Amino acid sequence: MTAEPVLDGRPLAPIHQLANKVPEVTVYFWIIKVLTTGMGETASDLLARTLGPIPAVALGGLALAASLAVQFTLRRYVAWAYWTAVVMVSVFGTMAADVLHVGLGVPYAVSTPAFLVVLAAVFALWFASEQTLSIHTIRTRRREAFYWAAVLATFALGTATGDLTATVGFGYLGSVALFAAAICVPALAHRFGALGAVTAFWTAYVITRPLGASLADWMALPHTRGGLALGLAPVTLAWTVAIIGFVGYLAVSQRDRGTHAAS
């Protein structure tokens, strides 16, 4: 019998090892990530207004489950499957945060720290189990499950955070400026050695959610709410087309294929 492969100094559980299931973090990764956050924000609002909150949440949940089922059946990273799952997480994560506020009356000032606690718990369980939070080691089903749980928590947290800043005086355009400045902090801190790569990545990952969502809301919402009044449907369509374009490019060029060894 061959020796078990080792990641982070720990032998893997007796399951098949996969190729890394997430893309390499490049400029394209961050562009598509921001696009998915904005598209998820406006698509969620559009579905809720068109279908009603309950049918929209049910449809979003089914679409999320289906996209994750496809993602988990694959043994390697596939651009269209991965980013479809991210889009569905964005839509459903937005709905989860909105249901707490609109449906249950939970203030954003309460849901924001609550989602932060949820995310911290996911990270704590993930690290306790795997001794790493690196996205370059998503090579087992268990790590993949932790990864997507963290992604869902970051989207819910980011949604609540963006809505909080938009309603406490910043407005949507002000929130865009705030989060555009905020996302530079982990990037610069990592660049100058003050923050580790994993911490910098997940901090920036959380911030992309309110950044993209605030930008999309500013574009879509009416002038009375501080927006450009372009409409939910046109903005959703435009951002969807942009996502398809970038993902299609990556699928052909394969410029997002990871080269990291398990570590």
Side-chain angles (χ1 to χ4, degrees), residues 69-88:
V70 172
Q71 173 67 17
F72 273 82
T73 61
L74 299 172
R75 294 188 56 79
R76 60 182 178 83
Y77 163 72
V78 176
W80 69 265
Y82 174 86
W83 286 111
T84 297
V86 172
V87 167
M88 292 301 103

Side-chain angles (χ1 to χ4, degrees), residues 41-68:
E41 176 73 16
T42 55
S44 173
D45 291 343
L46 181 61
L47 287 171
R49 292 185 184 183
T50 303
L51 303 177
I54 295 177
V57 170
L59 179 62
L62 288 173
L64 173 60
S67 63
L68 287 178

Side-chain angles (χ1 to χ4, degrees), residues 45 49 172 216-232 235:
D45 291 343
R49 292 185 184 183
Y172 294 109
D217 276 336
W218 175 64
M219 294 173 65
L221 294 178
H223 298 302
T224 54
R225 297 182 60 184
L228 295 179
L230 298 180
L232 290 173
V235 172

Side-chain angles (χ1 to χ4, degrees), residues 235-257:
V235 172
T236 300
L237 177 61
W239 287 52
T240 300
V241 170
I243 292 169
I244 292 172
F246 277 107
V247 172
Y249 168 73
L250 293 178
V252 173
S253 68
Q254 299 190 2
R255 296 191 64 177
D256 58 344
R257 292 300 179 90

Side-chain angles (χ1 to χ4, degrees), residues 5 18 24 36 68 86 109 127 130 148 163 174 186 206 245 249:
L18 310 171
E24 188 75 359
T36 62
L68 287 178
V86 172
F127 190 81
E130 306 300 314
W148 286 107
D163 288 338
V206 170
Y249 168 73

